[in-house]
Amino acid sequence: MTPIRALCTAVLLVGMSGQVLADAASHAANAERFLKLANADRLTVPVYAQVQQMFAQRFAQAQAPESKRAVLESYQAKANAALDRAVGWEKIKPDLIKLYTVSFTEQELRDLVAFYESPLGKKVIAKMPELTARSAQLTQEKLESAVPEVNKLLSDMSAELDPQAAKKK
């Protein structure tokens, strides 16, 4: 390869890499914009609440006097700090951006942003937590009717696999 050709190739590659970096930055920015619209920064709120509840339950189980509430609050604050280090928004945001940029093209993310900025998209976001909770509740209620049958099947399978154990019962 001639020196001029090599120089032209190098310039072309540098120019293309700059475009790739710009495209990646734009793609990431669209993913972050979508995550913000989808309230992804609130994904871990239930985790924090559950941990706070665990500490409050332990406090109650210990039958600690109200005068020790500062101890509870101190440990809850320490637990929040530990959670912040593990799953705080600034900690998980880069991984979520990567997840979404791998899963969706930049155009798809732009389309998602446009939808979630629309009145219907805003309604979907507002209704989603309630719909998710109610869906889980409905599923749980329906699942409960299958539990006895599933338990019987497990018992039957165990008996078939180990007839000696079944006779001992």
Side-chain angles (χ1 to χ4, degrees):
M1 183 180 287
T2 66
I4 292 177
R5 192 169 188 196
L7 180 62
C8 288
T9 301
V11 168
L12 180 62
L13 288 175
V14 167
M16 286 174 37
S17 68
Q19 182 62 39
V20 167
L21 290 174
D23 288 347
S26 175
H27 196 178
N30 278 297
E32 185 172 356
R33 189 168 169 207
F34 166 73
L35 290 167
K36 182 176 180 175
L37 285 168
N39 299 317
D41 59 333
R42 296 188 210 146
L43 281 174
T44 58
V45 168
V47 174
Y48 283 74
Q50 187 174 12
V51 169
Q52 294 299 303
Q53 184 62 33
M54 286 171 35
F55 277 88
Q57 285 174 343
R58 184 65 53 92
F59 184 79
Q61 287 170 351
Q63 298 179 342
E66 195 59 32
S67 62
K68 295 280 189 177
R69 181 155 294 279
V71 172
L72 167 65
E73 291 169 358
S74 169
Y75 277 94
Q76 286 176 322
K78 290 174 186 177
N80 279 347
L83 291 172
D84 285 344
R85 288 189 297 275
V87 294
W89 176 240
E90 291 306 317
K91 185 74 173 173
I92 64 169
K93 181 170 68 170
D95 293 330
L96 288 175
I97 288 171
K98 183 176 180 181
L99 177 66
Y100 277 79
T101 57
V102 167
S103 300
F104 298 99
T105 66
E106 184 171 1
Q107 184 58 53
E108 289 170 333
L109 286 167
R110 276 194 233 122
D111 292 346
L112 283 168
V113 166
F115 172 72
Y116 281 109
E117 287 178 334
S118 74
L120 179 58
K122 289 176 182 176
K123 182 176 181 177
V124 167
I125 287 177
K127 295 280 186 182
M128 195 55 66
E130 176 190 351
L131 291 170
T132 300
R134 290 181 65 195
S135 296
Q137 180 183 9
L138 287 169
T139 302
Q140 182 66 33
E141 289 169 2
K142 300 289 184 192
L143 183 60
E144 286 176 13
S145 68
V147 169
E149 183 178 356
V150 170
N151 285 337
K152 169 102 172 64
L153 291 168
L154 281 170
S155 177
D156 292 350
M157 183 183 78
S158 295
E160 187 174 332
L161 293 173
D162 188 1
Q164 296 303 328
K167 287 180 185 177
K168 292 177 186 174
K169 288 183 178 180

